[in-house]
Amino acid sequence: MKSIITCILTSLPFLLTLLLLPIQGAPNHNHNAPLPIPSLASALPYTLGIRDSIMIAHSFHDHPSFGPAGKMHGATYTCDVEFVAAKLQKTVNWVLDIGYASELLSEVLSQYNMKNLDEVFGNGEFTTTEFMARRIQMDLAERLRECVDGVEEEVEDGEENCNGPVFEGIIRVKLYESHKAWASFEGPV
């Protein structure tokens, strides 16, 4: 009886995640859409963290709310990403291969590195740090989903397919504009 209770209690965060994730559904590309669930990642016990950086240029199209930052300026972002999971992958005992995770982040960030975000996004989009944190999270999640969705055969935990491993969990992106200011966004794969 004690082992059954222990099993239920240790599985509770994962079970809650499975129950709550369908509420969010597929990622909403409307960056102003509210997300009904507070941090899911805090309920999950395993985290792999990686870090990279990018240099960008952007403006806020002379909008008065942004003051001097409304004009064209540069920024160097430090990007921390956490892959958070309910369990370790069988056999290899990791959340995600750290080398693969680092390559994935580098690939995603290369879309923005050394670029003018006004040109990357166009249409007068305000590429705030919050916007970019969400965009990077969505890009990472999309690449991981494409990998899994692109394979019809069933894959065991830890096995690679589509040049990447299967990952089930939450991705949290924290994007630092400086040592004093940052924004973050998290969501499911």
Side-chain angles (χ1 to χ4, degrees), residues 41-137:
S42 63
L44 303 177
Y46 296 104
T47 301
L48 169 70
I50 57 172
R51 174 176 283 178
D52 205 338
S53 62
I54 56 173
M55 294 187 294
I56 57 96
H58 68 156
S59 75
F60 295 113
H61 316 288
D62 292 320
H63 193 283
S65 295
F66 295 95
K71 299 194 179 305
M72 183 63 65
H73 62 280
T76 299
Y77 289 131
T78 298
C79 183
D80 287 352
V81 176
E82 294 180 335
F83 297 89
V84 187
K87 61 182 182 171
L88 297 177
Q89 291 185 21
K90 292 179 186 169
T91 310
V92 291
N93 282 333
W94 62 32
V95 170
L96 189 63
D97 178 343
I98 195 167
Y100 176 77
S102 295
E103 287 175 19
L104 184 65
L105 178 59
S106 179
E107 178 186 317
V108 165
L109 293 181
S110 70
Q111 302 172 95
Y112 312 117
N113 192 31
M114 304 298 289
K115 301 221 171 98
N116 179 349
L117 298 183
D118 293 356
E119 295 171 2
V120 172
F121 292 100
N123 300 323
E125 187 74 63
F126 292 148
T127 54
T128 61
T129 307
E130 297 88 342
F131 170 86
M132 288 305 298
R134 180 170 185 184
R135 185 59 189 232
I136 292 165
Q137 188 279 340

